[in-house]
Amino acid sequence: MDIREPEQLMQGLPDKAKVALTPRAAGYLPSFSIVAPAYNEQEVLEQFHRRVSKVMQDLGADYEIVLVNDGSRDGTLWLMRMLQAQDPRVSIVDLSRNFGKEIALTAGLDHAKGEVVVVLDADLQDPPELIPDMLARWREGYDVVYGVRTQRDGETWLKKATAKAFYRLIRRVSRVDIPQDTGDFRLMSRRVVSEMRGLREVHRFMKGLFAWVGFPSTPLYYRRDARAAGDTKWNYWNLWNFAIEGITSFTVAPLKVATYFGLSIAVLALAYGGFVVGKALLFGDVVKGYPSLMAVVLFLGGIQLLAIGVMGEYIGRIFNEVKARPLYLINRLLPSQLKE
Ligand code: UDP
Ligand code: MG
């Protein structure tokens, strides 16, 4: 029998996070798929290819670069084909139109053949030079190594503040733990990618889906660079919609808020109703109180419209999911030479 005090037992406990890990062979080099969605990125694509190739060649690993053309209107596709003509490790997934980053990324994951998949933005905001560090973590046994931004260069304080508030909120209202300041920049093992491929919902909040899949994961802190060239495709309207997407995809909390708010108002209304009736019975009914009546009617009308709006958000999403359309269509697929 173990007669040590509980605290002593605790001391012997290994780090909780490490228990689930099975380290991979020390020098083992997996094959890589570097996946990058690109929408109008002609200014940076060549530089992207150069920097990624340098890193991968220094590593000495077998790799492919999966470029997803998300319906670009500039020379992006043409450039991709130029790159592929020079480098058979480039794989091109040319979507039939612009489907948005989340779906473009999904298309890339669907066509990645490597044992390990790294997701990068084509605009070089996620430094490919971190891939060796990610690999080291993968060798420790982690299935997911996700980049966490410690500093965001070239972004306004308003964007930083709203992003921060959003992650706080979503963490509190949803059951999956979506790490703060995390983008799509990450390394994933094959089994994680396979599980991701099983999630075919139309409303894709990728950060949330990545978090939902789970598996042993570890952060890698890095400084997010400013865009190498070109412009961001985000504006505040997009970000707002993105936030709604994130919340409605992962929690029904807004519906519950409507329920409880309605319930409390109903209880208050009942009490007030009793008071009004009692007063009329005791002291007679003198018509008064037009302002308070208007205030209550308008307030309740507003709350009802808001609650219907919230319900509408969910019903709209149900509508989109039941159509069960394919997530994207491919105009042309030009795979790399990497063997599966
Ligand atoms: N992107 C895409 N489809 C779109 C919008 C963006 O594939 O409809 C790609 C874009 O080319 C880039 C990445 O998604 O590689 C991130 O886009 P952006 O730099 O505009 O976003 P931010 O870095 O500002 O979050
Ligand atoms: Mg960017």
Side-chain angles (χ1 to χ4, degrees):
M1 207 180 94
D2 204 330
I3 51 162
R4 281 179 297 174
E5 292 297 314
E7 299 88 71
Q8 282 176 303
L9 271 171
M10 292 290 284
Q11 276 171 10
L13 275 182
D15 183 354
K16 181 171 163 259
K18 302 259 179 191
V19 178
L21 301 182
T22 325
R24 297 172 168 100
Y28 181 70
L29 252 191
S31 63
F32 279 75
S33 290
I34 314 294
V35 174
Y39 174 58
N40 296 349
E41 299 286 5
Q42 62 179 8
E43 284 98 345
V44 287
L45 215 54
E46 235 180 316
Q47 203 185 333
F48 175 82
H49 177 260
R50 210 175 325 120
R51 259 175 77 182
V52 171
S53 302
K54 166 108 183 32
V55 172
M56 296 315 293
Q57 269 153 27
D58 289 350
L59 256 182
D62 213 5
Y63 71 95
E64 63 170 354
I65 303 178
V66 183
L67 299 172
V68 183
N69 175 36
D70 187 18
S72 301
R73 287 169 223 279
D74 62 358
T76 298
L77 179 63
W78 182 84
L79 250 176
M80 285 179 180
R81 301 204 59 176
M82 290 288 290
L83 289 172
Q84 195 182 41
Q86 300 157 15
D87 180 4
R89 300 198 238 223
V90 170
S91 173
I92 303 175
V93 182
D94 180 29
L95 301 184
S96 63
R97 64 173 170 83
N98 177 259
F99 281 91
K101 179 187 181 185
E102 316 271 308
I103 290 187
L105 179 53
T106 306
L109 292 182
D110 288 348
H111 293 91
K113 294 181 278 190
E115 245 180 291
V116 152
V117 176
V118 177
V119 176
L120 286 176
D121 275 3
D123 59 11
L124 287 170
Q125 279 193 285
D126 311 318
E129 289 73 22
L130 289 177
I131 293 175
D133 295 337
M134 291 182 145
L135 176 68
R137 296 290 175 80
W138 178 83
R139 283 191 180 132
E140 282 174 30
Y142 290 103
D143 281 281
V144 179
V145 185
Y146 56 93
V148 177
R149 311 178 271 241
T150 52
Q151 197 177 342
R152 295 165 152 221
D153 290 350
E155 283 177 1
T156 63
W157 69 267
L158 187 59
K159 189 172 173 188
K160 286 182 219 175
T162 44
K164 195 167 178 174
F166 170 70
Y167 286 110
R168 286 257 163 80
L169 177 71
I170 194 136
R171 254 175 115 141
R172 289 195 57 180
V173 297
S174 77
R175 292 193 56 185
V176 286
D177 196 1
I178 299 172
Q180 209 172 317
D181 285 330
T182 300
D184 297 323
F185 180 33
R186 62 188 59 229
L187 177 147
M188 287 172 282
S189 66
R190 175 48 48 194
R191 64 172 179 161
V192 172
V193 176
S194 305
E195 298 303 343
M196 277 298 291
R197 284 169 66 171
L199 307 179
R200 303 314 281 182
E201 57 212 72
V202 178
H203 288 274
R204 303 184 77 73
F205 180 64
M206 290 307 269
K207 294 175 223 272
L209 296 182
F210 285 134
W212 184 89
V213 171
F215 293 108
S217 310
T218 183
L220 182 76
Y221 296 91
Y222 76 107
R223 255 183 74 163
R224 186 154 162 92
D225 298 327
R227 256 180 173 274
D231 291 316
T232 176
K233 280 91 200 173
W234 290 101
N235 56 42
Y236 283 103
W237 178 243
N238 287 340
L239 285 173
W240 168 250
N241 284 325
F242 184 68
I244 292 192
E245 197 72 73
I247 290 169
T248 52
S249 299
F250 279 89
T251 172
V252 291
L255 293 176
K256 286 193 181 150
V257 169
T259 308
Y260 290 116
F261 207 77
L263 199 67
S264 10
I265 288 195
V267 169
L268 287 177
L270 202 68
Y272 184 66
F275 168 72
V276 169
V277 170
K279 205 174 82 168
L281 287 178
L282 289 176
F283 305 108
D285 184 19
V286 185
V287 179
K288 251 195 335 193
Y290 175 73
S292 60
L293 191 68
M294 270 318 265
V296 170
V297 168
L298 291 178
F299 176 71
L300 283 184
I303 294 292
Q304 279 170 13
L305 286 179
L306 186 72
I308 292 174
V310 171
M311 266 160 62
E313 288 289 336
Y314 284 91
I315 294 174
R317 281 170 176 74
I318 298 170
F319 172 63
N320 284 332
E321 298 294 348
V322 294
K323 282 189 280 191
R325 288 186 185 157
L327 289 179
Y328 54 84
L329 296 176
I330 291 177
N331 177 43
R332 197 146 180 211
L333 196 61
L334 300 161
S336 70
Q337 287 176 355
L338 187 77
K339 280 184 274 304
E340 241 176 291

